Amino acid sequence: MIVATARDFRNWIDGAWREALGRQIERRNPGNGALVSRFRDSTAADVNVAVATAKTAFRTKWSGATGAERSAVLARAADAIRRRAGELAFFEMAESGKPARQARLEIERSSMLWDYAATQARSLTGDSFGQLGATYFAATIREPLGVAAIITPWNFPFLIISQKLPFALAAGCAAVVKPSELTSATTLLLGEILKQAGLPDGVVNIVAGSGATCGDLLLRHPGIDMISFTGSTKVGKHAMRVGADGMKKVSLELGGKNAQIVMADADLDSALDAALHGAFLNAGQSCNQGSRLLLQSSIAAAFTRKFVDHAAQLKVGDTQADGVLLGPIINKEQYEKIIQYIAIGQDEGATLMLGGTYREENGGRFIDPTVFAGVKPHMRIAREEIFGPIVSILEFDTLDEAISLANDSIYGLSAGIWTGNVSAAMTAVRSLNAGTVWINTYLDGPAELPFGGVGESGIGREVGKLGVEEFTDIKTVQIRSGGYSPRWIGSEIGRTDA
Ligand code: NAD
């Protein structure tokens, strides 16, 4: 990995760096306090320029480009991302505190999303209707929605922008992107990468800044045609309300409280590995976190013991140190929230099997893997998204019970089941309320497959063919090549189709 030094960033507007007008924001590594990046908050004037630039570029440069032209830019962007992977991985790691190897894998996976979107730019099609009569033909055309406001969270910054932006560009949209103020660097670097890839100036504009000011201004801007938001359910609801006022299309990827079900007949070694990875990846700060582990009673005690033994060995700390898999908690607010939930779990009567320990040291805030057993469905630790390295274990006897427990949530992002029984797996597929159901695997996500949630986990889908279609609207075209029958002139008034 390239170890870059701290860097001053600016907004990326019309193909060039441009200083925003707001206060300076400093970003420090949450694991050790080292300065990583600095940039200015964007003001209304900055957001206005970004949206106006995108609007013009949409009209004059990008909406009329051919699929082949868009595809070529996206494919070159994928290559440019791979060429700059070391630098991107450094900033991804340093701003979020995640392990370097994980950051590197996320950048590689992101480049594949750009590759895939390149193929889709040439494959976007509508429907045709050839059965309406000899002289009557109709078709639907998919047209880009216009300028998309893309707002992303801090936890997988480059991966999440790569789940949205290449798909918007493949559809022919222009964009104004606002990354999280906690992890803005890699998204800002995309500006340079897209220019290198030959994207016309102004098609993508990136504004850095806080959610309450810059993000909110962007949501409300009348020049925005679509809002594509990933983040908390609370802010997602706000985006939807604001979007309704402007009658904008809104696509939301929000929180989760995902259940992993382990049946007694499963490959328990694989289930154990997936349960650990699903629970503690990114120190549990993941929308897809398997935060509810549902165990069949006959294996619950033994599985819990092994889960706890392995979790106890996971190294926690500043990810600059060797072998650390769980990095810091992103900020003070989130650290305090997680600690509160540890107390809530104990007060509610759950059994603390592991962890519950936390510390501030050398400029970072860390929470050890924490496992609660004997969790009951009414407890807050079974219902609310904690967004930290905390797992709630619940027990069940039958598959029906497991499905009711899994579905007893306001969220519906993803769910998993481990079983050797095909019919149990199929019952789970049909019955689980979730946008993604994993059977005997967890957290896989190839670029071909759509991703999104139901319930309070969101609205809309991203990635895959649907990921491009999300950024389009349908125009219906009707053509008569003769045989038009007059309805008013020289015809009987009052015909049913008048
Ligand atoms: P967040 O909601 O606090 O922030 C997300 C983005 O919204 C940031 O860019 C932020 O600056 C911006 N924002 C905040 N207030 C705003 C406002 N009033 N107007 C406009 N923009 C505003 O979320 P976070 O802490 O960055 O991320 C964690 C949350 O994101 C968790 O709930 C997690 O489950 C969710 N998430 C969901 C997915 C998914 O794909 N479903 C993926 C990753 C994270």
Side-chain angles (χ1 to χ4, degrees):
M1 163 176 302
I2 295 169
V3 178
T5 47
R7 180 168 165 174
D8 286 306
F9 286 93
R10 296 173 176 195
N11 284 353
W12 183 263
I13 307 289
D14 206 9
W17 294 115
R18 181 179 168 135
E19 188 90 273
L21 301 170
R23 75 191 160 97
Q24 180 158 280
I25 298 177
E26 263 187 3
R27 182 63 195 149
R28 291 180 176 274
N29 184 320
N32 56 34
L35 180 67
V36 184
S37 57
R38 267 188 310 231
F39 52 89
R40 289 192 174 278
D41 200 2
S42 298
T43 63
D46 298 310
V47 172
N48 287 343
V49 171
V51 176
T53 305
K55 207 89 197 153
T56 306
F58 172 71
R59 213 179 45 246
T60 60
K61 299 178 182 172
W62 198 240
S63 58
T66 64
E69 287 162 345
R70 290 179 198 151
S71 174
V73 169
L74 295 171
R76 287 194 297 264
D79 287 340
I81 289 168
R82 284 187 278 268
R83 279 197 304 276
R84 292 181 71 167
E87 182 190 8
L88 288 165
F90 167 78
F91 281 106
E92 201 76 338
M93 176 276 291
E95 284 191 334
S96 69
K98 64 181 65 192
R101 185 169 170 277
Q102 184 193 325
R104 186 70 192 229
L105 287 173
E106 286 173 18
I107 302 297
E108 271 169 34
R109 203 167 141 197
S110 303
S111 73
M112 292 177 205
L113 290 161
W114 290 80
D115 278 330
Y116 176 78
T119 68
Q120 293 307 296
R122 303 187 75 159
S123 314
L124 190 60
T125 56
D127 286 321
S128 62
F129 301 81
Q131 312 303 323
L132 302 174
T135 59
Y136 185 22
F137 175 79
T140 56
I141 307 173
R142 285 203 173 266
E143 296 191 327
L145 272 161
V147 178
I150 299 183
I151 299 182
T152 53
W154 73 264
N155 60 342
F156 296 101
F158 203 72
L159 200 53
I160 289 175
I161 189 60
S162 301
Q163 291 178 183
K164 295 173 180 293
L165 185 57
F167 295 84
L169 292 173
C173 285
V176 179
V177 176
K178 194 209 86 70
S180 166
E181 56 274 43
L182 302 174
T183 52
S184 306
T186 53
T187 302
L188 287 162
L189 285 172
L190 252 183
E192 283 181 355
I193 288 169
L194 290 172
K195 188 162 178 120
Q196 275 176 332
L199 183 76
D201 291 348
V203 176
V204 170
N205 304 277
I206 307 164
V207 289
S210 79
T213 54
C214 166
D216 198 56
L217 287 161
L218 191 55
L219 290 178
R220 293 177 193 282
H221 200 290
I224 292 297
D225 302 295
M226 175 188 178
I227 295 166
S228 173
F229 173 87
T230 299
S232 61
T233 295
K234 181 169 169 241
V235 180
K237 285 182 178 178
H238 171 69
M240 197 162 181
R241 278 183 217 109
V242 173
D245 284 341
M247 202 51 95
K248 301 173 205 278
K249 176 166 180 181
V250 180
S251 185
L252 303 170
E253 300 288 342
L254 310 175
K257 189 77 187 176
N258 314 293
Q260 272 213 76
I261 301 170
V262 183
M263 306 290 292
D265 62 7
D267 165 358
L268 294 176
D269 290 339
S270 300
L272 181 65
D273 180 77
L276 284 161
H277 179 240
F280 299 121
L281 175 73
N282 225 35
Q285 300 164 107
S286 161
C287 58
N288 268 325
Q289 185 198 22
S291 48
R292 289 186 295 155
L293 185 55
L294 275 45
L295 303 179
Q296 196 156 25
S297 307
S298 58
I299 54 140
F303 195 94
T304 301
R305 203 173 322 113
K306 282 191 181 165
F307 184 80
V308 164
D309 287 349
H310 279 85
Q313 288 163 33
L314 298 173
K315 216 166 150 188
V316 182
D318 177 7
T319 49
Q320 310 276 1
D322 277 350
V324 170
L325 275 181
L326 273 77
I329 301 306
I330 191 68
N331 59 18
K332 188 166 186 284
E333 190 189 359
Q334 186 55 24
Y335 178 71
E336 286 170 357
K337 179 180 154 192
I338 299 169
I339 292 168
Q340 260 183 21
Y341 273 105
I342 293 172
I344 291 169
Q346 288 168 301
D347 290 348
E348 284 177 321
T351 310
L352 184 64
M353 303 294 290
L354 178 73
T357 40
Y358 45 85
R359 65 201 157 278
E360 294 191 41
E361 67 187 12
N362 303 329
R365 298 183 184 87
F366 305 94
I367 298 188
D368 295 314
T370 296
V371 181
F372 281 107
V375 176
K376 302 294 173 218
H378 66 271
M379 294 180 180
R380 287 180 64 192
I381 58 167
R383 310 194 73 77
E384 298 171 18
E385 185 184 50
I386 301 172
F387 216 59
I390 316 290
V391 181
S392 296
I393 297 180
L394 293 88
E395 287 185 34
F396 63 89
D397 289 317
T398 64
L399 177 62
D400 279 356
E401 230 181 285
I403 289 168
S404 317
L405 283 174
N407 287 344
D408 186 12
S409 174
I410 55 167
Y411 296 108
L413 190 58
S414 59
I417 179 164
W418 290 84
T419 177
N421 180 329
V422 175
S423 74
M426 283 313 297
T427 303
V429 166
R430 303 260 185 228
S431 320
L432 288 168
N433 293 332
T436 294
V437 176
W438 281 290
I439 309 286
N440 295 335
T441 184
Y442 202 66
L443 293 186
D444 285 331
E448 288 82 353
L449 301 183
F451 175 68
V454 300
E456 297 213 0
S457 290
I459 288 179
R461 291 293 177 268
E462 55 191 30
V463 186
K465 183 170 176 271
L466 284 174
V468 182
E469 291 177 355
E470 192 79 3
F471 288 94
T472 65
D473 224 337
I474 285 187
K475 182 174 279 172
T476 303
V477 183
Q478 305 184 41
I479 306 167
R480 285 201 190 267
S481 57
Y484 175 78
S485 45
R487 286 155 204 187
W488 279 20
I489 300 173
S491 73
E492 227 180 90
I493 302 289
R495 281 175 41 170
T496 48
D497 59 349

